[in-house]
Amino acid sequence: MSNIIRSIKGTHDILPEDSKKWQQLESTIRKITHQFGYEEIRTPIFEKTGLFSRSVGEDTDIVSKEMYSWEDRDNTSLTLRPELTAPVVRSFIQHNLGGLSPLQRLFYIGPLFRRERPQKGRQRQFHQYGIEAFGSPHPEQDAEVISLAYSLLTQLGLTNLNLKLNSIGSPECRAQYRNALQDYLRPFLNELSETSQKRFENNPLRILDTKVPHEIDIIKNAPNITDFLTHEDQAHFNSVQSFLNQLNIPFTCDPTMVRGLDYYTRTTFEITSSALGAQDALLGGGRYDKLVETLGGKATPAIGFAAGMERILLALEAETPFESYDSTDIYMVCLDESVLSVSIDLANQLRQAGKSVKMETLRRSMKAQMREANRSGATYAFILGENEIQNKTVVIKKLKEGNQETVLQTEILEKLK
Ligand code: AMP
């Protein structure tokens, strides 16, 4: 086994037993997203590198060290998408979706790529489900987006949820806050990590995202961004909170939560699960009123979130055991080579009538085939031997109940109704 080719570190195969869980998750996602009126968008897996450096920001971890980028043959720099908001905004601008309707509610599901250090809940290829609502600057839009996120997680059966909410205001008040934060941090500069020292000049707000314990202590007494909000920012934030209260969605305000990406404005939020370990963030999002403009489109307010699908599945496993299902209707047991031709015909007819049929193709003993039929989770075994061929019948056995009857082949479909 030593020279077999294995999957790349930080990437995972989703095997049939697991893909059932994915299908159930995706179907709940699609159902709830539809209830809120969002429509699916699918964008390419790779984009021009500049799309991410211009939107996510040069001094974020994602852009500075985690992107899978390469030079194409014509020297264009391309990148496997590390997030999906920028591609969706690119597509929104390119196809003038804002011109088609003043409000666009979009969602996506797909794989992303970040060269992070793999650990439980953190992969190099992972999947996100996310939504983006373009067009409305109003707080009811923020409440809708957060409420969709919360409804999805609770309807999936998750209970150990913590919703953290903050407002990082508009760019004007952020400039003031940035100065105040720098003034506060300056005396501690020598104690900060190299990364934080770099961020001090370029983007001091990102120091608030630190995971370094003694830096967390330092920022405990830092000024709060919420004290710098303009009157309008504060009114917006208050309305979002009162809509969430009205919807009975519990939340806590966390003024240190500024989120990692450069493009956020006003509302930011994150939902974590206390059923998870170190990587406990299920989803994060926020308002990004300036991004469409930054990427060359017409100024359009927008808000969205991205949820890690692997993380949701891990949280579900920790909270509620998964109930496996199998939707095979019929297992065709063939007792002799001479029955194959009739079996193939019957299976074909049954599939055309909408049934799902697994047919024995290993020519095993009857005992082995019956064992397989039981294991397959099928509702019925159809047993065909020489007798049945002669009499144009089939033995239909209900696998769970154990009872069986002989039915004319021409009457099978009627019987199954
Ligand atoms: P972000 O795009 O960084 O805001 O992440 C949004 C969500 O995606 C997080 O809350 C996680 O649930 C998930 N996520 C982010 N990075 C990873 C990763 N490397 N592996 C698995 N899930 C991730």
Side-chain angles (χ1 to χ4, degrees), residues 108 129-132 145-146 148-149 152 269 283-286 303-307:
Y108 58 78
Y129 151 68
I131 68 165
E132 315 289 356
V145 166
I146 297 171
L148 196 169
L152 172 70
F269 63 98
L283 61 86
I303 175 165
F305 70 75

Side-chain angles (χ1 to χ4, degrees), residues 223-256:
N224 277 345
I225 190 144
T226 31
D227 294 332
F228 290 75
L229 299 183
T230 62
H231 180 70
E232 291 77 20
D233 289 336
Q234 189 63 57
H236 183 100
F237 192 32
N238 290 346
S239 291
V240 175
Q241 294 182 51
S242 74
F243 287 135
L244 293 181
N245 284 329
Q246 187 188 325
L247 289 164
N248 286 324
I249 297 178
F251 63 90
T252 49
C253 288
D254 178 355
T256 64

